[in-house]
Amino acid sequence: MDFFEETGVSGRMLFDIGERSSIDVKAKYSKIKAGAINFNASLALRETALFLGSIGVPTAELFWEDANTHDFLYINNVKPENEQENFNFSIKGDFDLDFATLTAVGAYNDQTNYFLTDGTSAAFFLYSLTPACLASNDAQPGAPLPAPFGPYLPSNGFVETFYPPYSPALCDGYQYQVRDQKDASVELRLTSPGDEAFRWVAGLYAADIERDVVVAQGSDNGAGFVKQPFVPTSGPNPTDLLYDDTFNSKVYAAFGQLAYDVTDNLEVAVALRYDREEREVRNNVPTCDDSGDLTGPCRAQTPLFGLAFNPSTPYINPAYTADSTLAASGIPKRDRTFSQFQPKLTVNWNVTEQWALYTSYGYGFRSGGFNSTGSAATTEIYYGGLCLGDTQSEADGYFPVCTGDNRSLQNVNDDYEKEVSKAFEVGFKSTLLDGRLSFNGAYYMTDVENLQFFNFFAGPFGLLRVVTNMEQASISGFEVDARWRATEYLTLFAGYGYTDTEIDRYDGRPYTQGNKIPYVPEYTGNAGVDLAVPLGASDWTLNARIETSFMGETYFTTVQDEQVPNLFTGFGFGGREQRHVDGDRLGPKHRRREVPAGDHPGAGVRRVLHPRLAGRQLRRGRELLVPLSLPVSGLPGPAGVHHPPGLLTGELGTFLFSFLLQVIVSCLQSMAYSEKENRNVP
C-alpha cells in the first residue's frame, strides 16, 4: 500500500458584527508525504499466452492474467516520492440588509505537488545502450525477476533482458511530475428571506486559476535526482522526454433562482446559471537551434538514449518530432473560451406531513480545456499504426497505415471540448414513526454530450494523462437510503444505488459503442450502526460507528470485452491473425497486405506488419502497453517486420529487432524444455 503522512495546522475565527451580521475566517496549512504509482503490471496478452502455451512454455498463463488475482511484487529501485504543500485561506461575511442577506466569500489556495518514481523504459529498451543500464543489468539486482519476466541476460554491449515495468535495474529511468496550482476566487450572493411565498437568490462568481503541469522522463544513473522539470546532460538524472505547460483560466459566472409557493404544500422553482471560462496554455519546453548540434536542450539529454531505434538523438517533446520547426521557435500559446447557459426547473410537493415528492430537469456544464502540449503527437507516434482491419503501405513502401477509420485509437487532441449534460430526476422523501425513521428514494436519467474521459497512457514516454470526449453517453439509475433510530442510543442506516450507463457514440474508439462508461460502478451500497451513549451526568458522549460498504463491477477504460491489437499481435507474435470478439462490429480478421521481399530495407521481409513501438491489449477494464517493440523471426508466421522511417533505420535496427525477440523466445522455449526434462527424470 502507498504510505500517507499529513501534518498541518488549521484555525477558524468567528466575529459578530452587531446583531445581524457575522464574519467567518478559516485558514489551513499542511504538508503531505505519500507514495506514487505503487503498482506493478499484470499482462493481458491473450494471443501471446495461447501461442506460448502451444509450444509448452510453463508460464504461458502469466501473459493473460486476471489482475484481481495477480500477485503484486514491488521490486522498483526508485523509492516513490509524492510531496504536497498546501495553504488555504477563506473569509465569509453574512450581512443582513433587511430585504435580503448579502453573502460575500473570498478564497485563496496555493498548492505545490510533485511526485517522483520509477519508470517503465526498460520494457522498451530505451536505455539499453547507456553505461548505467549495462552495468546495472550485469549486476542482476533483485534476481531472479518475477515470471514471466527475465531471466537476466549478459549485456554484451546491449541490454536485452525482458524487464517488467518498475524493475530493480537502472534501465527503467525515472518519471517526475508536477501539479502546482494557485487560485483566487470571490462570490457575491443575495438571498431573500426564507419565510416568504416568493423567494429568490442572485449572485456573481469570479476566479483566476494558474496551474503548472509537468510530465518528465529521464535516465536513472544511480546518482540521485534533481527534482526539476528539465535536467541537462551534466546533471545526475538527465531529462529525455518533457511535457511542461502553464495553464491559466479566468472564470466568470452569474446565477439566480426564483421559487414560489403555489400552494401551502407545492413549490415551483426556476434557476438559471451562465458560465464563461477563458482558458490559455503556454508551453515551457526548452527550444534550440539544432541544425548542426543534436545535443541541445530541445533534444533528449542522456547520451545514447533511444539510439537503437532512432537515426539520431530524439526530440525532447513529441510535438517537435511532428513539426521540427517548433524545436527552434517554440510551441505557440493557445487559448479558447467556453460558455454555457444552464437552466433548471424543480417542483417540490409535500403530499402529507410524512411524505414529499420532487422532480427536476436541468442542464449541467463542465468547461473544455487543454491537455499537455504534445499529447496528440505522442499517441499518433505510438498508437497510430495499430489497426482493427486491413493495413496498406504508403508509396515509399515503408510505413504501414490503417485504411479508412479502422484505427484502434483516434481523435486524441491537445485540447478537449466542453461537456454538457441534461438531467431528469424524480424522487420521494419521507419521515415516519414519529420522526425516528427516514426513507428516501430517487430515479434519474442523464444524457451527456462530449462527456470528458480521463485516459491514462503508459509506455516509452512514461505515464501520460489525456482527456478525450465521448460524443454521446447516457446514464440512468435509482438510489434508496434509510435511517432508523432504533433506541435512544442506537441508530441503524443503509443505502443502495444502481447505475446503468452506456456509451452511445465515441469517435475515438467507435467499436466501444454500447459499452459502459468508465469509473462508474454498476451498484454501490452501505450499511452500518451508530452508537451514542452519554457518560453519566457530564457533557461527554461515547460515540462508536460500524459501517460496511460495497460496490459492483467497475470498468476503468472504454475498451471492455473487445480485443484490440497490441504490439505482440501486431508483429504476428502468437499467431498470424487476430480475430476480434465482435467480428461484425470490428470487421474481419486482422489482415496484412503482402509486400514483395527485397523491395525495401531488410531483404527477406515478406509482409508489412504494424510498426509502431508501443501498443496495448485490453480486457475488462485492464490495460497494459506491451513492453516489447520486437518482430518475430524464426517463429511460425511472418519472418520479420517493416520499419517506419525515423523510428528504426539501418542494419543495426533490423538486427536488434529480430535478435531481441529471438533471445526472449529462445529463453522461454528453453524453460519449457527444461521443465519437460525435469518431469521425465526418474
Side-chain angles (χ1 to χ4, degrees), residues 393-519:
S393 60
E394 291 183 346
D396 58 14
Y398 274 42
F399 209 151
V401 296
C402 303
T403 59
D405 295 327
N406 64 346
R407 292 170 51 161
S408 64
L409 176 68
Q410 51 195 327
N411 285 4
V412 177
N413 303 301
D414 284 352
D415 57 3
Y416 52 92
E417 300 300 320
K418 68 179 182 180
E419 173 186 312
V420 178
S421 60
K422 302 174 185 178
F424 168 77
E425 182 175 352
V426 60
F428 67 88
K429 297 180 180 292
S430 65
T431 303
L432 308 171
L433 303 180
D434 296 325
R436 292 165 45 219
L437 173 65
S438 64
F439 178 51
N440 311 308
Y443 173 79
Y444 54 88
M445 296 187 301
T446 304
D447 290 325
V448 187
E449 179 181 339
N450 288 327
L451 186 145
Q452 294 171 8
F453 165 62
F454 284 97
N455 302 263
F456 292 89
F457 299 113
F461 46 84
L463 181 66
L464 183 64
R465 185 180 71 170
V466 178
V467 179
T468 59
N469 292 102
M470 297 180 197
E471 281 70 17
Q472 295 289 338
S474 54
I475 305 168
S476 62
F478 68 87
E479 56 189 17
V480 293
D481 67 83
R483 189 173 184 87
W484 177 40
R485 188 173 182 181
T487 70
E488 184 179 358
Y489 309 123
L490 186 67
T491 300
L492 309 179
F493 60 91
Y496 179 82
Y498 173 81
T499 304
D500 182 27
T501 67
E502 183 171 345
I503 300 172
D504 300 315
R505 177 187 165 195
Y506 182 23
D507 291 347
R509 296 182 184 271
Y511 51 88
T512 62
Q513 180 179 343
N515 285 356
K516 302 295 185 181
I517 296 175
Y519 305 116

Side-chain angles (χ1 to χ4, degrees), residues 187-258:
E187 179 180 331
L188 296 174
R189 182 173 67 249
L190 281 172
T191 306
S192 69
D195 56 356
E196 298 179 354
F198 180 77
R199 299 172 299 281
W200 52 268
V201 176
L204 299 171
Y205 174 82
D208 191 351
I209 306 168
E210 179 178 284
R211 193 177 193 215
D212 293 312
V213 177
V214 173
V215 179
Q217 171 192 312
S219 57
D220 177 8
N221 295 319
F225 300 96
V226 176
K227 299 162 189 175
Q228 62 189 38
F230 177 78
V231 180
T233 302
S234 58
N237 53 304
T239 303
D240 299 312
L241 182 70
L242 179 62
Y243 308 86
D244 187 352
D245 295 280
T246 298
F247 300 87
N248 290 97
S249 299
K250 295 186 182 298
V251 182
Y252 308 97
F255 56 89
Q257 177 176 302
L258 301 175

Side-chain angles (χ1 to χ4, degrees), residues 30-34 82-86 111-114 179:
S30 65
K31 282 188 173 182
I32 296 174
K33 292 185 177 181
N82 189 345
E83 296 192 7
Q84 186 179 113
E85 186 174 6
N86 299 284
Q111 178 187 87
T112 59
N113 176 219
Y114 83 87
R179 298 282 192 276

Side-chain angles (χ1 to χ4, degrees), residues 11 100 191 205 225 310 326 343 374 420 422 535 570 582 605 643 656-657 660 674:
T191 306
Y205 174 82
F225 300 96
N310 291 275
L326 298 177
V420 178
K422 302 174 185 178
L535 298 179
D582 187 346
V605 177
H643 56 267
L656 288 175
F657 254 15
L660 290 176
S674 298

Side-chain angles (χ1 to χ4, degrees), residues 255-277:
F255 56 89
Q257 177 176 302
L258 301 175
Y260 180 67
D261 292 335
V262 180
T263 66
D264 289 341
N265 58 0
L266 180 64
E267 177 197 71
V268 177
V270 178
L272 180 64
R273 181 183 178 98
Y274 174 77
D275 278 278
R276 175 185 173 89
E277 296 199 18

